[in-house]
Amino acid sequence: MELPNLVLARKRTSNEVKKINYQLNEQYQNIGENKTFYVKTYGCQMNEHDSENIEGLLESIGFKKNPDMEKADIIILNTCSIRENAHNKAFGMLGRLKHLKEKHPEKIVALCGCMAQEEVVVREILKKHKHVNFVFGTHNLYDLPRLIYECVNSNKTNICVKSEEGDLVEGLPVTRVSKFKAYVNIIYGCDKFCTYCIVPYTRGKQRSRKMEDILDEVIKLKNDGYQEVTLLGQNVNAYGKDLNLGYDLADLLIKVSETGIPRVRFITSHPWDFTDRMIEVIKKYDNIMPYVHLPLQSGSDRILKLMGRRYTSSDYKQLFDKLKEIEGISITTDIIVGFPGETDDDFNETLDMVNYCKYDSAFTFIYSPRVGTPAAKLYENDPTTLEVKENRLYKLNELINNYSLESNKKMLNKEYLVLTEGVSTKEGMMWGYTETNKMVNFKGNEELIGKIVKVKILDAKSFSLDGELVE
Ligand code: 5AD
Ligand code: SF4
């Protein structure tokens, strides 16, 4: 039993990161034979990709995927901690599973992901959710076959959560959702410790994969016919810093681009680590997509400082202006309203920034206190009511949606390359994404799925575009 520990999770040492080459223990090889699994994923792309590894692990020991949760032999919830409502969703699902397990006690229920790394969550599970067979942390994915094996012979909740820093695990099996778009982790964890954020505690120390391991994965994907890779990390712009091997994200982007894979994306960027050279590389290589997600969080220097973001609004503007020089670029962002102590003036400065940047789109959130983070203490004395925060969010969204529409309208009657992803709910229509990550619906057939086609834009809305295929 290894319980999560916040104090350990906060610690950063200069110890070398341990690299583990995953190998399946033969003992576990057939434990899933004639059984099925259901994995429910909450949260970000990192979690989505972890679920691809979880499914790969399950299939490697004989389990088959079951689209019907109620019929599956093992149900795994891959959870997210970023805000309170993500927590509530997972606990709501645990409640549902309690009833299912009462009827079918032989079923296995497990919880993993960021919530598994939280001490408060695990204590609550041990106290109130005894139907959970085991909990495994973000650093313990590779323990899954062993945990399933052990749980068959035990009726106690097993907790397997490592809190210290985290290792680098290579060679985990993977079952990808898409046959033409793939996530590739390049850096795990985060050392930024923004004061509102739980991620550095749940995902551990910043640790980059070796460039050769990443390139091997990308080349394999390209040879398998993949059209697009998204290089993933909490802060991809810090890539390589911890390795001291003389290379960074700019060097990695060049190498990945040179594999010839048609589309290269990267997400998420922290403004602090964005160098001029990275911008030059994005400009120069055609298969690096002109799209940057650049979280602003707040437009007020006072709040940015309280958030520990390490830049001012003027630093951000300077970087933004340089990025705008990349031809056809689209820039999106994340913004938090109602950070503890945010005043109307602070909020107006956020609106000023949105008016300056005219983002293509944005994810906006009301600040949610996370146990153990520094901002949660400020929240205890926050005088601003939820109603005021909701009004701010509403006003912000209205402004952002206007700019999204404005930027989409600029695309009218022009032609764009779209990677076709699937069949739309509207009859005879397909959907896909432009190079700048805008969603387009257009008339077509299923044969186009996985192909990059040219589409002329005929109608623009805030959140999507309609177009027609150009022969
Ligand atoms: N409350 C609200 N939003 C948060 N984010 C991260 N932590 C919190 C929090 N405690 C937002 C940030 C981040 C995005 C992934 O989630 O905007 O960029
Ligand atoms: Fe959280 Fe900040 Fe790290 Fe992003 S950079 S994961 S917001 S601590």
Side-chain angles (χ1 to χ4, degrees):
M1 177 92 71
E2 214 175 337
L3 284 173
N5 177 316
L6 250 181
V7 179
L8 280 180
R10 190 180 295 131
K11 231 171 157 178
R12 292 293 183 266
T13 70
S14 54
N15 296 345
E16 205 181 323
V17 174
K18 199 166 87 195
K19 182 168 158 179
I20 299 171
N21 286 312
Y22 175 77
Q23 267 198 318
L24 177 63
N25 183 330
E26 278 180 19
Q27 208 180 353
Y28 312 136
Q29 224 156 32
N30 301 314
I31 51 178
E33 218 154 72
N34 301 321
K35 295 198 173 110
T36 64
F37 70 82
Y38 182 90
V39 178
K40 171 86 189 152
T41 311
Y42 301 89
C44 65
Q45 290 101 334
M46 198 68 71
N47 261 18
E48 282 174 30
H49 188 42
D50 281 352
S51 286
E52 294 185 326
N53 285 130
I54 291 168
E55 298 203 357
L57 280 161
L58 290 167
E59 286 177 1
S60 75
I61 52 175
F63 283 93
K64 297 246 167 354
K65 191 174 176 129
N66 192 334
D68 185 350
M69 182 178 82
E70 311 242 330
K71 296 221 170 79
D73 299 292
I74 178 165
I75 299 158
I76 299 183
L77 304 187
N78 187 7
T79 61
C80 166
S81 311
I82 200 93
R83 282 169 293 274
E84 185 66 33
N85 61 351
H87 256 225
N88 295 345
K89 276 189 208 158
F91 274 116
M93 182 58 103
L94 276 185
R96 238 180 98 186
L97 292 175
K98 193 177 226 157
H99 298 299
L100 187 65
K101 191 123 181 191
E102 273 162 10
K103 277 198 259 164
H104 304 279
E106 72 289 354
K107 285 189 192 293
I108 297 176
V109 172
L111 183 138
C112 66
C114 286
M115 279 171 69
Q117 296 292 138
E118 286 186 87
E119 219 171 307
V120 277
V121 169
V122 173
R123 292 200 185 283
E124 188 168 340
I125 288 173
L126 286 171
K127 216 161 111 195
K128 295 193 196 146
H129 298 275
K130 296 204 166 64
H131 60 295
V132 174
N133 291 83
F134 61 89
V135 174
F136 59 112
T138 57
H139 305 312
N140 299 81
L141 290 194
Y142 63 91
D143 282 318
L144 181 58
R146 176 177 65 78
L147 290 165
I148 298 175
Y149 181 81
E150 287 175 4
C151 115
V152 177
N153 306 310
S154 156
N155 51 11
K156 259 187 150 169
T157 306
N158 191 3
I159 309 292
C160 178
V161 180
K162 183 180 150 99
S163 297
E164 305 94 326
E165 300 194 321
D167 313 309
L168 259 178
V169 185
E170 289 293 341
L172 278 182
V174 59
T175 302
R176 296 187 186 273
V177 171
S178 166
K179 296 275 172 281
F180 46 89
K181 267 174 82 159
Y183 290 129
V184 175
N185 282 125
I186 64 166
I187 182 168
Y188 298 94
C190 181
D191 287 350
K192 284 284 185 283
F193 286 97
C194 300
T195 59
Y196 50 82
C197 186
I198 191 81
V199 169
Y201 306 82
T202 61
R203 290 278 171 178
K205 170 169 157 170
Q206 181 171 291
R207 45 210 202 280
S208 303
R209 286 176 76 194
K210 291 259 168 65
M211 190 178 313
E212 59 262 31
D213 292 329
I214 298 168
L215 290 175
D216 279 353
E217 189 173 341
V218 174
I219 289 166
K220 200 167 165 295
L221 287 163
K222 182 183 174 248
N223 292 341
D224 287 345
Y226 277 78
Q227 300 292 306
E228 181 177 305
V229 289
T230 299
L231 309 179
L232 272 190
Q234 244 71 48
N235 170 14
V236 285
N237 294 61
Y239 174 75
K241 280 190 166 182
D242 52 303
L243 291 174
N244 287 320
L245 289 171
Y247 53 71
D248 68 1
L249 180 69
D251 300 291
L252 178 69
L253 282 173
I254 294 173
K255 291 283 182 205
V256 173
S257 161
E258 283 173 354
T259 64
I261 191 131
R263 289 182 163 197
V264 181
R265 298 189 186 281
F266 54 93
I267 195 164
T268 290
S269 293
H270 190 298
W272 170 263
D273 294 305
F274 226 120
T275 64
D276 288 353
R277 192 161 159 257
M278 291 171 194
I279 300 174
E280 290 313 309
V281 170
I282 304 168
K283 257 188 212 162
K284 184 167 164 197
Y285 292 83
D286 285 346
N287 59 346
I288 302 178
M289 297 297 98
Y291 167 68
V292 173
H293 185 65
L294 192 71
L296 167 69
Q297 312 299 6
S298 168
S300 149
D301 288 343
R302 193 181 74 82
I303 296 294
L304 284 171
K305 198 154 185 209
L306 288 172
M307 287 178 161
R309 287 293 287 178
R310 309 172 193 214
Y311 54 81
T312 61
S313 55
S314 129
D315 298 332
Y316 186 97
K317 276 184 188 163
Q318 251 181 36
L319 173 62
F320 184 90
D321 289 343
K322 284 189 209 163
L323 283 167
K324 272 290 184 188
E325 286 170 17
I326 300 169
E327 205 190 321
I329 193 166
S330 97
I331 301 179
T332 58
T333 198
D334 290 342
I335 296 173
I336 298 175
V337 302
F339 184 84
E342 184 190 67
T343 61
D344 281 339
D345 284 347
D346 293 317
F347 175 65
N348 285 331
E349 281 172 19
T350 297
L351 296 179
D352 289 345
M353 275 300 271
V354 172
N355 282 320
Y356 183 87
C357 297
K358 304 182 170 59
Y359 294 105
D360 285 88
S361 73
F363 296 105
T364 56
F365 316 100
I366 291 182
Y367 167 76
S368 171
R370 312 315 299 135
V371 175
T373 59
K377 292 201 187 71
L378 301 176
Y379 181 75
E380 288 166 17
N381 305 311
D382 185 14
T384 314
T385 62
L386 181 61
E387 197 189 350
V388 169
K389 294 181 185 183
E390 282 171 347
N391 284 335
R392 285 182 192 161
L393 185 70
Y394 183 82
K395 207 165 163 188
L396 176 64
N397 285 342
E398 258 192 341
L399 188 64
I400 283 168
N401 293 347
N402 285 341
Y403 285 122
S404 297
L405 183 62
E406 193 174 287
S407 95
N408 284 350
K409 276 190 171 160
K410 287 190 189 137
M411 297 171 74
L412 282 171
N413 298 316
K414 293 187 193 143
E415 293 172 2
Y416 294 90
L417 293 172
V418 174
L419 172 56
T420 319
E421 297 214 8
V423 182
S424 155
T425 44
K426 280 193 238 155
E427 218 188 313
M429 300 290 276
M430 308 299 293
W431 61 275
Y433 282 96
T434 63
E435 297 199 325
T436 52
N437 215 32
K438 307 233 184 196
M439 223 251 269
V440 187
N441 294 294
F442 57 96
K443 228 182 238 161
N445 59 46
E446 286 183 36
E447 275 165 33
L448 298 177
I449 294 179
K451 298 206 170 82
I452 295 173
V453 294
K454 210 181 255 180
V455 175
K456 185 174 175 184
I457 304 302
L458 300 176
D459 192 19
K461 289 165 265 188
S462 274
F463 303 109
S464 69
L465 300 148
D466 289 335
E468 68 178 9
L469 266 179
V470 178
E471 299 306 328

